[in-house]
């Protein structure tokens, strides 16, 4: 005889229903977080676009501003999706894989995996757009090297006799400018990490140390269950979480190591500024039409085209504080600045720049047309060098400038509150932010792009080694595109 049922005793919930509800809730949380953050970063993109509009001196909104906003927004949405996907993958890796009932908490069907993989692919696509935008900006930077060296006199004997001497002006050597320009070109693709070491380290943890076994759906590693038939079943969410966490973690360790290495051993960015001072060369970088960076490399000794003995004497005098300091302003050492140019100064700059004769393809000096173009470019170079040097020396009152510090809010927001209407503004920049015109200043974008490239290839092929090889090949394509 069956026992009567007690209506006060609750029936245990179905485990399958509970797990399904948990997955629906997790998907809801991920979608909600992504949607909310994507809406918030639109304000950040608007701020970046407004700053870009002021720096380019755009008078009225046009299609360029809309296009720029979409590019900024694509990069900001990519950062949001990177945060959401990496956090979700890491959550599944650290929480779900630590429980006993592992298969119950991982995605139950391919449709749930496809939902997460869609987020990953979208993040990778938008990261690619962000990287291409950065490459376009870097390739469009206008660079001019200001040579402060003046012709020097030398005594030369004439044919009339040894006693009669004539003082001639020695031409200024161009090799110092070539050398500084070559060093700037070498800095284009310098990064805070070593990409080759990054790939080898990630593959070492995944394959050599067997971390890949944590990506299977089964609660036991494949090495502990040799009787299992068929290949193991992988969880794309956990597989992505493991690979992305390793990649970003190893990259972060390299960045921290680079910071200490630059403090204790060598800092290529600061050494470039020292090289400019040694060469008596200043550098003007214009990333936008009316905004850029200035490196003041004017030698405190007046000249740098000299012999080794005089160069050593100059360095000794500078070490013993027997001469002035290297800064733009008297008795200061600040040599790097962010510059906001007035439209009048930029217009004069453009007029001189237009006089340069451009020609695509190799030029032959034997071609009469090439000779005339070379002469025109030489005259334009000297005119530009004289104009920019006179600007720095406050020769033109109608195109003058003044130096000030940026406000803390200006540095945080990345904007300039003052508009350079009558005078240009030079902002003191102790952080050497001219590295923003290089790969060096965009390590987070490059690191996250490489991580997602590696993960997307692995999710498509289920092969970490192949993903590492393709990422290694992709690195050369990006590096060659970043050189000018």
């Amino acid at each position: 005889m069956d026992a009567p049922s007690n209506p006060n005793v609750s029936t245990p919930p179905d485990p399958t229903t509970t797990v399904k509800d948990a997955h629906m809730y997790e998907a809801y949380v991920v979608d909600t977080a992504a949607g909310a953050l994507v809406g918030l970063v639109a304000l950040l993109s608007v701020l970046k676009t407004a700053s870009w509009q002021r720096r380019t001196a755009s008078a009225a909104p046009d299609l360029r501003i809309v296009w720029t906003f979409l590019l900024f927004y694509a990069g900001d949405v990519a950062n949001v999706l990177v945060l959401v996907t990496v956090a979700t993958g890491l959550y599944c890796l650290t929480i779900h894989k630590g429980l006993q009932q592992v298969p119950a908490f991982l995605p139950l069907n391919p449709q749930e995996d496809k939902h997460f993989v869609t987020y990953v692919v979208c993040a990778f696509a938008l990261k690619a757009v962000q990287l291409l935008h950065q490459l376009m900006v870097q390739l469009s930077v206008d660079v001019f090297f200001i040579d402060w060296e003046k012709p020097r006199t030398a005594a030369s004997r004439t044919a009339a006799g040894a006693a009669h001497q004539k003082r001639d002006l020695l031409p200024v050597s161009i090799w110092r400018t070539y050398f500084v320009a070559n060093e700037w070109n070498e800095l284009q693709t310098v990064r805070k990490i070593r990409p080759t070491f990054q790939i080898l380290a990630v593959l070492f943890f995944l394959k050599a140390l067997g971390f890949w076994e944590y990506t299977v759906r089964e609660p036991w590693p494949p090495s502990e269950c040799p009787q299992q038939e068929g290949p193991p079943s992988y969880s794309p969410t956990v597989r992505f979480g493991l690979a992305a966490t390793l990649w970003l973690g190893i990259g972060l360790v390299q960045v921290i190591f680079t910071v200490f290495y630059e403090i204790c051993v060598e800092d290529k960015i600061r050494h470039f500024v020292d090289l400019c001072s040694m060469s008596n060369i200043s550098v003007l970088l214009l990333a936008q039409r009316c905004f850029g960076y200035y490196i003041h490399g004017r030698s405190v000794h007046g000249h740098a085209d000299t012999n080794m003995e005089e160069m050593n004497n100059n360095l000794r005098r500078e070490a013993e504080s027997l001469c002035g300091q290297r800064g733009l302003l008297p008795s200061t050492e600040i040599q790097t600045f962010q510059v906001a140019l007035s439209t009048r100064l930029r217009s004069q700059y453009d007029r001189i720049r237009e006089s340069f004769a451009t020609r695509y393809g190799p030029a032959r000096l034997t071609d009469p047309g090439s000779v005339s173009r070379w002469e025109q470019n030489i005259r334009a170079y000297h005119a530009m060098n004289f104009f920019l040097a006179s600007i720095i020396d406050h020769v033109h009152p109608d195109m003058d400038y003044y130096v000030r510090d940026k406000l803390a809010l200006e540095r945080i927001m990345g904007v300039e509150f003052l508009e350079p209407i009558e005078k240009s503004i030079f902002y003191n920049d102790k952080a050497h932010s001219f590295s923003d015109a290089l790969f060096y200043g965009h390590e987070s974008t490059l690191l996250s792009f490489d991580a997602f490239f590696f993960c997307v290839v692995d999710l498509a092929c289920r092969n970490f080694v192949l993903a590492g090889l393709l990422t290694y090949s992709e690195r050369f394509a990006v590096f060659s595109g970043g050189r000018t």
Side-chain angles (χ1 to χ4, degrees):
M1 184 175 179
D2 297 335
S5 59
N6 187 356
N8 296 326
V9 178
S10 60
T11 304
D14 185 2
T16 305
T17 304
T18 304
V19 171
K20 289 182 179 179
D21 293 340
H23 283 296
M24 292 178 61
Y25 177 73
E26 290 176 4
Y28 172 77
V29 170
V30 172
D31 293 341
T32 303
L37 292 176
V38 165
L40 288 176
V41 296
L43 301 177
L44 179 61
S45 301
V46 170
L47 179 63
K48 291 180 180 179
T49 306
S51 176
W52 176 87
Q53 182 181 8
R54 169 169 287 191
R55 291 176 175 182
T56 54
S58 298
D62 53 12
L63 291 179
R64 285 185 60 205
I65 295 179
V66 176
W67 177 247
T68 302
F69 168 76
L70 293 177
L71 290 175
F72 282 135
Y73 190 54
D76 292 333
V77 172
N79 294 333
V80 167
L81 295 182
V82 167
L83 176 63
V84 171
T85 53
V86 172
T88 303
L90 184 60
Y91 172 76
C92 292
L93 177 65
T94 57
I95 303 300
H96 292 172
K97 294 299 291 183
L99 300 176
Q100 295 295 329
Q101 297 178 342
V102 177
F105 286 91
L106 294 178
L108 297 175
N109 53 64
Q111 191 65 27
E112 295 179 0
D113 287 332
K114 185 178 179 180
H115 182 73
F116 177 78
V117 172
T118 301
Y119 272 108
V120 176
V121 174
C122 290
F124 169 71
L126 293 176
K127 270 294 172 183
V129 173
Q130 185 184 24
L131 181 60
L132 289 176
H133 181 211
Q134 173 56 35
L135 285 176
M136 289 190 299
V137 172
Q138 183 169 339
L139 291 174
S140 63
V141 172
D142 203 358
V143 185
F144 191 85
F145 300 92
I146 307 172
D147 191 355
W148 295 98
E149 198 76 9
K150 303 297 181 183
R152 303 177 65 187
T153 59
S156 60
R157 297 181 183 274
T158 63
H164 180 69
Q165 292 183 345
K166 178 183 177 182
R167 302 184 67 85
D168 296 329
L169 291 178
L170 295 178
V172 175
S173 174
I174 194 63
W175 287 108
R176 292 173 298 101
T177 304
Y178 284 167
F179 182 71
V180 174
N182 180 70
E183 290 299 314
W184 172 256
N185 191 53
E186 294 294 330
L187 283 179
Q188 294 292 309
T189 54
V190 169
R191 294 182 57 178
K192 297 179 182 179
I193 69 169
R194 300 294 183 268
T196 303
F197 173 81
Q198 177 80 13
I199 297 173
L200 294 177
V202 171
L203 292 179
F204 174 77
F205 278 97
L206 290 174
K207 303 298 291 185
L209 298 184
F211 279 30
W212 67 272
E213 295 183 349
Y214 291 99
T215 65
V216 299
R217 294 181 183 273
E218 290 74 15
W220 51 84
S223 59
E224 298 180 5
C225 187
Q227 292 81 12
Q228 181 179 357
E229 297 180 358
S233 176
Y234 296 100
S235 168
T237 305
V238 176
R239 192 176 180 92
F240 168 82
L242 177 62
T245 301
L246 276 176
W247 193 285
L248 297 177
I250 294 174
L252 179 60
V253 171
Q254 286 201 72
V255 170
I256 295 175
F257 173 80
T258 301
V259 172
F260 286 100
Y261 180 84
E262 291 175 347
I263 295 175
C264 302
V265 182
E266 179 187 15
D267 186 348
K268 293 184 178 180
I269 301 298
R270 298 182 185 276
H271 283 184
F272 179 76
V273 178
D274 293 336
L275 174 65
C276 292
S277 296
M278 294 291 296
S279 304
N280 204 14
I281 300 290
S282 294
V283 184
L284 178 65
L285 312 168
L286 295 179
Q288 279 87 32
R289 184 176 184 273
C290 293
F291 179 84
Y293 309 92
Y294 174 67
I295 303 174
H296 187 66
R298 192 172 192 173
S299 176
V300 296
H301 310 290
H303 53 83
D305 194 1
T306 183
N307 55 37
M308 183 181 297
E309 180 180 1
E310 188 173 358
M311 179 68 71
N312 289 333
N313 291 333
N314 291 338
L315 293 176
R316 179 182 55 79
R317 293 177 61 248
E318 191 171 357
E320 296 175 356
S321 300
L322 299 178
C323 58
Q325 295 179 329
R326 295 181 176 182
L328 174 62
L329 299 180
S331 303
T332 62
E333 296 183 350
I334 301 178
Q335 297 179 254
T336 53
F337 303 85
Q338 295 181 6
V339 296
L341 304 182
S342 63
T343 55
R344 181 178 300 176
L345 193 156
R346 177 67 200 206
S347 298
Q348 181 63 25
Y349 177 90
D350 289 336
R351 281 193 288 268
I352 300 176
R353 188 174 182 271
E354 290 173 357
S355 60
F356 282 92
T358 58
R359 181 181 188 274
Y360 298 98
R364 298 179 180 272
L365 293 178
T366 56
D367 184 7
S370 298
V371 173
S372 62
R373 280 189 293 268
W374 274 106
E375 293 177 351
Q376 180 180 348
N377 287 337
I378 291 174
R379 290 194 298 269
Y381 165 77
H382 287 297
M384 181 68 78
N385 192 85
F386 178 81
F387 169 69
L388 294 179
S390 62
I391 291 295
I392 300 300
D393 287 338
H394 301 278
V395 174
H396 305 281
D398 58 334
M399 292 181 286
D400 205 357
Y401 69 93
Y402 63 94
V403 181
R404 66 182 295 267
D405 292 323
K406 263 193 172 183
L407 301 176
L409 189 59
E410 287 180 310
R411 292 194 298 267
I412 295 174
M413 299 177 62
V415 298
E416 295 79 36
F417 296 156
L418 297 179
E419 189 172 357
I421 299 176
E422 297 181 357
K423 291 185 177 181
S424 301
I425 307 174
F426 281 41
Y427 296 96
N428 292 318
D429 182 25
K430 297 180 181 180
H432 296 79
S433 61
F434 69 88
S435 61
D436 290 343
L438 309 169
F439 276 8
Y440 187 89
H442 300 273
E443 186 59 52
S444 60
T445 301
L446 296 168
L447 182 63
S448 56
F449 174 80
D450 290 341
F452 272 71
F453 184 90
F454 178 86
C455 292
V456 167
V457 173
D458 174 68
L459 291 177
C461 305
R462 298 294 178 89
N463 191 321
F464 287 123
V465 177
L466 177 60
L469 291 175
L470 292 180
T471 305
Y472 185 79
S473 302
E474 167 267 329
R475 180 176 68 93
F476 287 102
V478 175
F479 272 38
S480 59
R483 290 187 179 273
T484 55

